Amino acid sequence: MNALRMVFSKPWIWAFIAAGGVFFVTVMFTGGASTIGLGQAALTFASFSVIVGLGQMFVITLGPGNVDLSIPATMTLAATLALKVMESQNGMIFVGLLVALGVGLGVGIANYALIKALRIPPIIATLSSSFIIQSTAIWSNRGLRIRPPQWMADLTTQSLFGVPNVALIALGITLVIFVLLEKSLYGRWVSAIGQNMRAARMAGVPVDGVRFATYVLCAVLASLAGFLLASFSGGAALNMGTEYLLTSIAVVVIGGTAVAGGFANVPGIWGASLFLFLVVSMLNTYGASAGVRMLLTGVIIIGVIIAASRRRVA
Amino acid sequence: MKKAIVLGALALALTSTTAYADTSDKRIALSNNYAGNSWRQAMLTSWETVTGPAVEQGIVAAADAFTTAENQATEQAAQIQNMILQGYDAIVVNAASPTALNGAIKEACDAGITVVSFDGIVTEPCAWRIAVDFQGMGRKEVEFLAEKLPEGGRLLEIRGLAGVSVDDEIHAGIEAAMAENSQFEIVGSVNGDWAQDVAQRAVAGILPSLPEDIVGVVTQGGDGYGAAQAFLAAGRPLPIIIMGNREDELTFWKQQKDESGYETYSVSIAPGVSTLAFWVAQQILDGVEVPKDLVVPLVEVTQDNLEEMLEQTAAGSVTNVEYSLEDAQAVIADAS
């Protein structure tokens, strides 16, 4: 009984309950025949949201006003440049990965430079930098789709024992992030800054260094997600990141991370990512029109957030 | 006597404006609302390729392209007002909204500027419209399926970006044709937003819940390859997926054709339609009588011309046609 109460007091449980419920309703449509197929699809597509969501989670945890709006542009630029460098050759995969991560590193540094040196609020700084990043992506390849190297395409589209490889990659990253947040000094510092930046500074937390590292981490994860997504879907497109702006913020909020900062939640990101994919699949399966679908998606998301936040107060 | 001179001068003036007007001192501007996908990039590249030599040869004095950053109608209206102030003789516009720019377009017309809208057309009556027959595109897709699959079957529909008029138009065409072909039934509908990765995700999400015997997928362009990937990933037989002239779609089709004789059909409009609009604007400035409503020719890829069209399509791009002055004259003649 006590254990049960403990589980229900976790803010992430509601995202998983919602995802489970939506999954159940969706497979009921076919009397359970679609369970494996839908499960695999959900794991695959949730993975990309998870990777960008984890980065956004750290940024949001830094406290009010912290958000990275350059995630879509970073994904696009990293994927575009990496695929251009690789020219579909297997031998160049490592170089391509380095290019992608390098883009993330550069974007993160540039973002924090705008925030710190020019004292621009993060929301404006990352929004304006995203214009520059997106324009660079357009300029660098004019939107031409280059095929990913065959090995990368195989890696991202195949499964191991029925579990999609991209889900395994996302799981690995999640574990690293989880340890970073829960066990490392850096994770504690991020939470401390989010709870009270002045107090954290007085207590000797290197506030600037931690914030800098967080923006870099977020951009690097975005670039990795872009690299994997482009490999998975057969090439980079100029609008490939668009969906992930709202998604990255939504999975953080639905997953039980405090919007006001200070409290991050890693497992919730998975629940929320699965939920966001499944809710669209469910409404598609039952033939809801686009208008009804958006309306219901909004209502369900609000419902989950209310459920999750009520529990936290109680 | 005096009257005769006036009349004579008037007649001379009329003939000179209708037949002998020179456009070598005329300046044309392109007002474009969006550049964030490969289709629009190809559109801008085509504009440069065709208008560059036209300016060099002295056919027109300038043909400058401008793109707004945010895909907002208000921003584009301000851009058009700037063009009026800069004294362009004609504005070629791909509009963010069919109605929201009407005020700015009217101002341009009142300032004596020729306005030609294409692809994203405007409803303001003083402007010319080079429209795409999107309903016809939808109808052609179903008609192709009806011809290939006379016994009919179940279809999946991939729609575009919800709330955009183009999506409604293509869908209306598909629905109209479905009404005449009752042997087909649409069992699922998803929004692919004209992007391969979005279409792939949406189809992968609905596919496990759909019956095994999907015979065809009707699409809107830019989503066929993503849909095919989702079918393959789910280990399902490949239905006839209508393609939208993207290079990755045509390459995929070619591979499947060589391996298993896969047959389908692909239709879209060429991004080079911007060059058609350019020549139409030039013709209007030249004094040619041009009807206000023109129709863009569709570019179709079939089993027979697949290899040829694929060769013309740049890697990673869309099958393109750049229009010449003669093409524009033919389109104008068709509409008159």
Side-chain angles (χ1 to χ4, degrees):
Chain A
M1 198 59 215
N2 243 350
L4 198 68
R5 194 175 304 147
M6 212 180 77
V7 164
F8 271 92
S9 69
K10 301 276 187 203
W12 48 261
I13 193 70
W14 295 97
F16 279 97
I17 290 175
V22 170
F23 184 80
F24 180 73
V25 173
T26 312
V27 297
M28 279 315 289
F29 185 82
T30 55
S34 58
T35 308
I36 293 174
L38 187 68
Q40 282 177 336
L43 281 174
T44 305
F45 290 95
S47 302
F48 304 112
S49 317
V50 164
I51 298 174
V52 291
L54 287 170
Q56 188 73 279
M57 178 192 77
F58 268 104
V59 172
I60 288 177
T61 304
L62 283 175
N66 283 294
V67 67
D68 187 353
L69 301 185
S70 67
I71 285 179
T74 309
M75 289 173 72
T76 309
L77 181 63
T80 306
L81 290 185
L83 266 71
K84 198 176 177 186
V85 166
M86 293 191 287
E87 287 178 322
S88 315
Q89 296 164 29
N90 289 333
M92 294 293 281
I93 290 176
F94 187 67
V95 181
L97 180 64
L98 284 184
V99 167
L101 296 179
V103 167
L105 192 67
V107 169
I109 293 172
N111 276 343
Y112 197 65
L114 288 175
I115 294 167
K116 186 65 192 173
L118 301 180
R119 296 173 170 277
I120 305 174
I123 231 175
I124 311 286
T126 54
L127 186 65
S128 46
S129 74
S130 79
F131 281 118
I132 301 172
I133 303 162
Q134 183 76 19
S135 303
T136 314
I138 292 176
W139 167 79
S140 67
N141 208 23
R142 301 217 69 156
L144 298 182
R145 271 168 81 88
I146 301 172
R147 292 182 158 277
Q150 196 55 45
W151 289 356
M152 268 319 286
D154 292 344
L155 175 75
T156 46
T157 48
Q158 290 171 355
S159 326
L160 190 68
F161 304 118
V163 183
N165 287 342
V166 280
L168 294 174
I169 296 172
L171 190 67
I173 295 171
T174 309
L175 289 176
V176 173
I177 295 286
F178 185 77
V179 172
L180 202 60
L181 180 74
E182 302 286 334
K183 306 289 173 207
S184 81
L185 196 55
Y186 165 74
R188 297 299 159 94
W189 281 343
V190 170
S191 301
I193 293 170
Q195 283 158 26
N196 192 326
M197 193 154 86
R198 284 192 62 184
R201 187 169 272 143
M202 304 253 185
V205 174
V207 173
D208 288 328
V210 172
R211 290 183 72 199
F212 171 70
T214 306
Y215 277 92
V216 170
L217 177 69
C218 179
V220 168
L221 285 173
S223 65
L224 182 63
F227 180 72
L228 292 173
L229 180 60
S231 301
F232 173 80
S233 62
L238 288 176
N239 46 3
M240 62 182 278
T242 321
E243 293 261 318
Y244 290 89
L245 178 58
L246 215 64
T247 305
S248 73
I249 300 171
V251 294
V252 172
V253 176
I254 298 171
T257 292
V259 191
F263 298 94
N265 194 308
V266 174
I269 302 279
W270 271 96
S273 298
L274 290 167
F275 167 67
L276 277 187
F277 174 81
L278 286 166
V279 84
V280 174
S281 298
M282 175 185 77
L283 295 170
N284 273 335
T285 301
Y286 283 91
S289 71
V292 175
R293 210 156 59 216
M294 286 182 189
L295 197 80
L296 282 179
T297 311
V299 169
I300 296 171
I301 289 175
I302 293 171
V304 174
I305 294 174
I306 291 174
S309 57
R310 248 213 211 117
R311 278 283 136 180
R312 221 174 304 151
V313 174
Chain B
M1 186 63 198
K2 211 175 177 186
K3 204 175 180 184
I5 293 173
V6 173
L7 274 178
L10 197 67
L12 200 69
L14 275 176
T15 44
S16 64
T17 50
T18 48
Y20 303 109
D22 183 12
T23 56
S24 61
D25 60 337
K26 303 290 189 193
R27 294 162 67 233
I28 299 178
L30 169 66
S31 163
N32 175 38
N33 66 316
Y34 183 62
N37 61 32
S38 55
W39 197 92
R40 290 297 180 110
Q41 286 298 321
M43 181 191 100
L44 292 169
T45 312
S46 290
W47 175 271
E48 276 169 28
T49 332
V50 169
T51 63
V55 172
E56 262 171 35
Q57 292 162 18
I59 299 173
V60 292
D64 308 317
F66 302 94
T67 300
T68 56
E70 273 286 76
N71 193 12
Q72 296 283 335
T74 45
E75 201 187 355
Q76 199 176 13
Q79 184 197 48
I80 290 172
Q81 278 158 344
N82 283 336
M83 289 171 178
I84 300 172
L85 294 175
Q86 287 166 4
Y88 282 100
D89 299 287
I91 298 174
V92 172
V93 53
N94 192 344
S97 151
T99 51
L101 294 176
N102 283 353
I105 303 270
K106 186 79 177 46
E107 278 176 44
C109 293
D110 291 347
I113 299 170
T114 302
V115 181
V116 177
S117 64
F118 71 99
D119 185 34
I121 53 167
V122 294
T123 56
E124 171 55 48
C126 76
W128 275 261
R129 282 166 295 278
I130 305 180
V132 183
D133 182 12
F134 286 115
Q135 293 216 12
M137 257 171 77
R139 216 171 302 122
K140 273 174 182 262
E141 295 187 17
V142 180
E143 280 162 9
F144 171 81
L145 289 175
E147 195 188 309
K148 274 281 158 240
L149 306 161
E151 70 283 7
R154 292 176 163 138
L155 304 183
L156 170 65
E157 182 184 9
I158 304 180
R159 298 188 57 168
L161 201 57
V164 179
S165 58
V166 173
D167 169 57
D168 291 328
E169 290 277 310
I170 299 179
H171 175 69
I174 289 174
E175 261 195 341
M178 290 290 293
E180 293 160 21
N181 292 283
S182 55
Q183 72 274 33
F184 288 112
E185 180 201 0
I186 291 183
V187 290
S189 168
V190 297
N191 285 79
D193 298 1
W194 304 307
Q196 307 290 10
D197 54 322
V198 180
Q200 188 178 2
R201 183 170 60 216
V203 174
I206 194 173
L207 214 45
S209 313
L210 292 180
E212 283 284 337
D213 57 346
I214 302 282
V215 296
V217 180
V218 284
T219 61
Q220 296 201 349
D223 41 15
Y225 180 77
Q229 293 302 309
F231 272 89
L232 292 180
R236 288 192 174 224
L238 211 55
I240 296 181
I241 301 173
I242 308 286
M243 301 293 179
N245 293 5
R246 269 58 171 189
E247 191 260 348
D248 49 7
E249 294 177 339
L250 299 183
T251 307
F252 177 81
W253 176 5
K254 176 83 175 76
Q255 276 171 2
Q256 297 294 318
K257 181 186 172 187
D258 292 346
E259 276 170 29
S260 59
Y262 185 70
E263 286 188 41
T264 185
Y265 164 79
S266 179
V267 62
S268 187
I269 54 166
V273 62
S274 60
T275 61
L276 181 65
F278 168 76
W279 289 117
V280 168
Q282 188 268 341
Q283 286 291 292
I284 298 167
L285 290 176
D286 203 10
V288 175
E289 274 292 322
V290 177
K292 288 270 161 135
D293 287 287
L294 301 171
V295 179
V296 181
L298 293 174
V299 178
E300 296 172 85
V301 183
T302 61
Q303 210 68 16
D304 300 325
N305 69 0
L306 172 61
E307 283 79 7
E308 185 193 328
M309 295 303 255
L310 191 55
E311 237 165 68
Q312 287 174 24
T313 310
S317 191
V318 190
T319 309
N320 202 357
V321 177
E322 272 148 12
Y323 295 91
S324 64
L325 178 58
E326 290 71 36
D327 295 327
Q329 284 165 338
V331 169
I332 294 167
D334 278 349
S336 311

